[in-house]
Amino acid sequence: MDIVTDLAHGGRWTSLRTAGREWLWRREAPERDNVSPGDVFVDAGGLEECIPTVRGTPDHGDAWSRPWTRDGESDAVHCDRFTLTRTIRGTPDGAEADYELKADEGFRFVWAAHALLDLSDHARPHIRDGADTRLFPEAAPLLDRAWPTGAPWVEGNWPAPCGLRLDHLGPDDGTAVGAVVDASHCCVHDQADRLSLALEADGQPLSIALWRNLGGYPDEHPYRSTGVEPMLGRVFDLAEAGLGDAAVVPASGEVRWRLTLTANCSCS
């Protein structure tokens, strides 16, 4: 597994290649080169490190818009309230990325490996059946029930929460929906190819976020993109996080987690 990152531009993963296949989707976005902290997110594809939130403020977090630095085998970004360090290493089956966040005790955050994948219409994300799944308001027109007034999300079960089938991508249909699934592992099948993403962290909420954009976003000049995003937390917007919905820094001042990527998986 070959991984390329761009430290100067938010530490973004720009390539994830296995056996001749490039997994990361990318788009031309020259304005990405000149962003500053607090700017509106510029979607260039790849895998972005989104922390301490995805939606909300700052848009897609505070790390994607800052330069990272290299120290030995590790990369780091220093933000106003935290420092995030990442170490990526190869394994016999793929790769591991170890993360360490340092911040004051009680600091709450959401982190997502915001991976936009280059997938065909036939691709399928495999997550354990029955997993609790949150859907967010953009999904309202696609559900088998009315959206509750004022609700930030509704809940159902994977693979078809509230009647919305999420385990098949299919062709473009002009929709874009986000979901957060109570799971720590997802295997993406795209015809004969496989990519497994798994997350580990002691004492923190683990999820898989799915962004299924089939030409429904943005409103002007929409495009197709699919995000499969291992996440610490259970919401996209930290401001909406209730008890247990965000990661929390303990008394040690440190949180550690591991993202494991492999080019195979056992699910059928």
Side-chain angles (χ1 to χ4, degrees):
M1 184 174 289
D2 294 323
I3 296 172
V4 178
T5 60
D6 183 352
L7 298 186
H9 301 103
R12 183 168 66 101
W13 304 33
T14 58
S15 180
L16 172 61
R17 182 173 289 275
T18 62
R21 167 164 184 157
E22 175 58 62
W23 282 97
L24 294 181
W25 171 88
R26 292 164 296 197
R27 63 187 287 268
E28 291 297 322
E31 64 273 27
R32 178 72 171 77
D33 292 344
N34 300 303
V35 297
S36 299
D39 284 355
V40 173
F41 182 62
V42 177
D43 187 4
L47 186 156
E48 301 277 10
E49 305 283 359
C50 293
I51 186 171
T53 190
V54 182
R55 298 180 183 178
T57 303
D59 186 12
H60 282 70
D62 208 22
W64 71 272
S65 58
R66 297 174 184 267
W68 290 47
T69 58
R70 171 68 53 83
D71 183 7
E73 296 182 350
S74 298
D75 309 323
V77 61
H78 303 280
C79 300
D80 292 341
R81 297 189 62 194
F82 64 90
T83 295
L84 179 66
T85 302
R86 175 188 70 194
T87 305
I88 302 173
R89 62 178 63 84
T91 68
D93 296 322
E96 293 174 346
D98 285 330
Y99 292 84
E100 180 184 73
L101 178 133
K102 293 185 177 181
D104 291 341
E105 178 183 0
F107 178 69
R108 300 172 80 238
F109 67 96
V110 170
W111 165 85
H114 188 278
L116 295 177
L117 302 184
D118 188 7
L119 302 175
S120 75
D121 294 359
H122 304 288
R124 298 183 60 186
H126 285 252
I127 299 175
R128 61 180 177 84
D129 285 349
D132 291 341
T133 302
R134 290 180 174 178
L135 297 170
F136 295 84
E138 67 272 7
L142 306 175
L143 307 186
D144 60 7
R145 65 200 68 179
W147 191 271
T149 302
W153 61 75
V154 296
E155 296 194 10
N157 298 106
W158 183 271
C162 306
L164 176 58
R165 193 74 184 263
L166 292 177
D167 61 339
H168 291 76
L169 297 185
D172 290 0
D173 62 8
T175 66
V177 298
V180 176
V181 188
D182 184 14
S184 60
H185 174 248
C186 178
C187 185
V188 179
H189 293 203
D190 194 359
Q191 301 179 86
D193 297 322
R194 303 286 187 268
L195 179 66
S196 172
L197 305 97
L199 188 60
E200 305 168 63
D202 290 337
Q204 304 292 347
L206 306 177
S207 300
I208 299 292
L210 179 69
W211 171 242
R212 194 189 70 176
N213 175 23
L214 303 179
Y217 176 87
D219 292 336
E220 187 175 350
H221 307 303
Y223 49 82
R224 179 188 180 98
S225 59
T226 303
V228 178
E229 308 171 21
M231 174 185 281
L232 295 185
R234 297 191 65 219
V235 291
F236 288 112
D237 189 344
L238 179 62
E240 296 178 345
L243 184 65
D245 290 337
V248 181
V249 176
S252 65
E254 299 178 351
V255 178
R256 294 184 175 89
W257 64 95
R258 172 174 288 177
L259 173 64
T260 300
L261 305 166
T262 58
N264 55 68
C265 59
S266 58
C267 57
S268 60

